[in-house]
């Protein structure tokens, strides 16, 4: 059974850093793609950063230069390094896994096969 588990969230002051981890179990990450989504109460879930099976990286404009997504296919893990955090980054962050190479960044929720339970990131000013 495929499972996706996020970790690494927490509370930090503005300007601080966090590293989120996403572990995929029950199936290999090789050949598949992942996107980190985030959601705040009352708002729609939005894609933050994605990485294709071939290592192509995608970012929403507001996090470019601050966030870095990476993957380790041996450990079946995907990471989101978040630097220079801002209060606007406060959200529940979700790791979503999809089958395939992702020739362009897919941000439709329905495109993703498996989701983690989320990890909370809180940034105070």
């Amino acid at each position: 059974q495929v499972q996706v588990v996020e970790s690494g969230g927490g509370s930090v002051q503005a300007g601080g850093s966090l590293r989120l981890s996403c572990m995929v179990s029950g199936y290999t990450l090789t050949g598949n793609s992942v996107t980190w989504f985030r959601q705040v109460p009352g708002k729609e879930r939005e894609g933050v950063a994605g990485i294709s099976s071939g290592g192509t990286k995608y970012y929403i404009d507001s996090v470019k230069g601050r966030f870095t997504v990476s993957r380790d296919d041996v450990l079946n893990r995907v990471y989101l390094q978040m630097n220079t955090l801002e209060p606007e980054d406060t959200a529940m962050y979700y790791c979503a896994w999809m089958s395939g190479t992702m020739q362009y960044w897919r941000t439709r929720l329905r495109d993703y096969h498996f989701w983690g339970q989320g990890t909370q990131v809180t940034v105070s000013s």
Side-chain angles (χ1 to χ4, degrees):
Q1 183 177 4
V2 176
Q3 294 220 133
V4 181
V5 179
E6 307 98 332
S7 63
S11 298
V12 298
Q13 292 185 333
S17 298
L18 287 172
R19 191 191 195 197
L20 306 185
S21 297
C22 172
M23 182 179 71
V24 179
S25 62
Y27 196 73
T28 178
L29 189 60
T30 302
N32 302 298
S33 304
V34 173
T35 287
W36 288 93
F37 291 83
R38 67 185 180 188
Q39 187 172 28
V40 299
K43 301 292 185 179
E44 294 187 9
R45 194 170 298 183
E46 66 174 354
V48 178
I51 185 164
S52 74
S53 61
T56 302
K57 300 175 181 180
Y58 307 90
Y59 301 97
I60 191 171
D61 285 346
S62 61
V63 308
K64 287 181 178 178
R66 299 189 297 117
F67 290 11
T68 302
V69 64
S70 60
R71 62 189 291 157
D72 186 332
D73 286 11
V74 175
L75 297 178
N76 278 359
R77 289 181 181 270
V78 176
Y79 305 98
L80 185 65
Q81 179 66 47
M82 305 185 295
N83 298 326
T84 320
L85 283 162
E86 303 169 352
E88 292 74 21
D89 297 316
T90 296
M92 184 74 75
Y93 283 71
Y94 299 89
C95 178
W97 179 96
M98 66 172 289
S99 176
T101 61
M102 194 160 70
Q103 293 178 286
Y104 62 95
W105 192 20
R106 294 184 175 271
T107 56
R108 297 183 303 176
L109 275 59
R110 68 181 298 272
D111 288 335
Y112 290 84
H113 299 89
F114 302 102
W115 292 77
Q117 81 292 337
T119 184
Q120 178 68 39
V121 171
T122 302
V123 185
S124 60
S125 60

